[in-house]
Amino acid sequence: MSTSRLLLSALLGAGLAAAGHSDPLKERALKARAGTALIPDTCFDSQDDLETYFEYNYPWGDTHNGAALMSSAQVSIIHDAYLQLRSDYTGPQADNADLSYNSGTVYAKQHFTVEADGGLDMQANFVAPVAEGTWPAFWLDGVNSWPPEIDLAEWKGTGKVSFNTFNTSSEVAALDVDYPTPSTAWHTILVELRPESDGTTLKADFYMNEELVTTQYGDGMVGQPFYMIIDYQMLGSSGSSGPTETTYFDVQYLSVTSYNP
Ligand SMILES: *[C@@H]1O[C@H](CO)[C@@H](O)[C@H](O)[C@H]1NC(C)=O
């Protein structure tokens, strides 16, 4: 537990006791391994750093379930400090009238696997739009199949942030919670991915601004490789009408730490 989380617990009293880990002894043993930075939080310090760890677009191409055509032209590093994905309205595009935005997506070059007796922490700060038609997301997608999918954080145009784990297309743990001051404050999302003792079930603890929001369980997800994707999709799950002005999805201090053996 970080000092600030301890402080917050002390300030707010026993109500936050539930924000601790469900198995603190196991967690202490894991953390004693001194995690390996699979992606360091300096990954958005320059275009070179970005391109060391990430590729442009999706693993499968430049579109996915929405109205945005992705390209590297919409992806920037701002002030040598954060990643910015920019969405521009184009109107129906000549090659495909279902597409009406140019936007940006990156995915990690590495695949991420939670191993039995291991774990992964995935963390980043976000300024994410929540207006109708905007659909930014930070998510894990099975390399070998879909599902599995874990939405580390997804914003579906309702003013809320969603945390979701897909066992199958219909067996889904999903939680929407309020997302205050979306355009003016960085919010920290941390997801701790841990194996359960059965060796196959993956436990995901979702934290926002250092408070545990929810815990979800993924079937057979231990030992499975995942892509990590940061996309700024439009329309699709976030509604059928969206902004005609330029909008942005910003991501800062992304890190992935491994406690795998
Ligand atoms: C997904 O599978 C895990 C492991 O079997 C289970 O604990 C969890 O409840 C399932 N999720 C849903 C939404 O049924």
Side-chain angles (χ1 to χ4, degrees):
M1 184 178 275
S2 68
T3 312
S4 54
R5 201 182 298 165
L6 272 175
L7 238 184
L8 198 62
S9 303
L11 285 173
L12 299 183
L16 272 182
H21 300 283
S22 47
D23 191 342
L25 286 180
K26 214 158 105 186
E27 193 62 26
R28 195 188 300 166
L30 266 192
K31 293 285 165 66
R33 273 179 197 162
T36 308
L38 300 181
I39 300 184
D41 68 7
T42 52
C43 63
F44 300 145
D45 279 7
S46 70
Q47 201 81 20
D48 277 353
D49 288 308
L50 169 69
E51 292 177 1
T52 298
Y53 295 99
F54 291 88
E55 301 276 2
Y56 298 105
N57 301 335
Y58 296 100
W60 52 85
D62 54 12
T63 61
H64 182 64
N65 290 352
L69 176 67
M70 303 302 181
S71 73
S72 60
Q74 306 296 115
V75 179
S76 305
I77 295 294
I78 306 291
H79 302 318
D80 295 335
Y82 61 92
L83 173 74
Q84 181 165 79
L85 306 180
R86 186 181 80 243
S87 170
D88 294 317
Y89 182 69
T90 59
Q93 298 188 2
D95 289 346
N96 180 347
D98 291 338
L99 301 174
S100 51
Y101 292 86
N102 290 333
S103 190
T105 294
V106 296
Y107 69 96
K109 290 182 173 178
Q110 299 167 69
H111 300 163
F112 301 99
T113 302
V114 173
E115 293 173 20
D117 194 34
L120 295 173
D121 286 358
M122 300 190 166
Q123 177 167 328
N125 295 347
F126 298 92
V127 174
V130 297
E132 185 184 358
T134 64
W135 187 18
F138 173 43
W139 55 294
L140 302 177
D141 186 38
V143 170
N144 298 326
S145 65
W146 183 89
E149 171 178 336
I150 300 175
D151 300 321
L152 304 167
E154 176 183 21
W155 297 261
K156 293 188 281 190
T158 61
K160 306 224 169 196
V161 57
S162 306
F163 305 106
N164 316 301
T165 301
F166 288 69
N167 286 346
T168 69
S169 56
S170 57
E171 193 178 296
V172 185
L175 180 72
D176 290 353
V177 301
D178 284 335
Y179 194 71
T181 57
S183 58
T184 53
W186 293 101
H187 292 291
T188 303
I189 302 291
L190 163 65
V191 183
E192 295 176 340
L193 302 167
R194 301 287 183 268
E196 287 284 272
S197 50
D198 65 4
T200 65
T201 304
L202 184 64
K203 170 169 166 270
D205 280 331
F206 296 78
Y207 296 84
M208 183 159 66
N209 300 330
E210 303 202 338
E211 278 193 65
L212 181 64
V213 178
T214 190
T215 299
Q216 300 176 352
Y217 296 90
D219 187 33
M221 296 190 195
V222 172
Q224 290 296 319
F226 285 91
Y227 296 116
M228 173 199 280
I229 300 168
I230 306 169
D231 66 338
Y232 187 16
Q233 197 42 268
M234 302 297 289
L235 307 186
S237 293
S238 68
S240 55
S241 78
T244 53
E245 74 278 13
T246 295
T247 58
Y248 303 92
F249 177 34
D250 295 338
V251 189
Q252 186 188 46
Y253 296 134
L254 180 144
S255 65
V256 178
T257 305
S258 169
Y259 299 98
N260 285 332

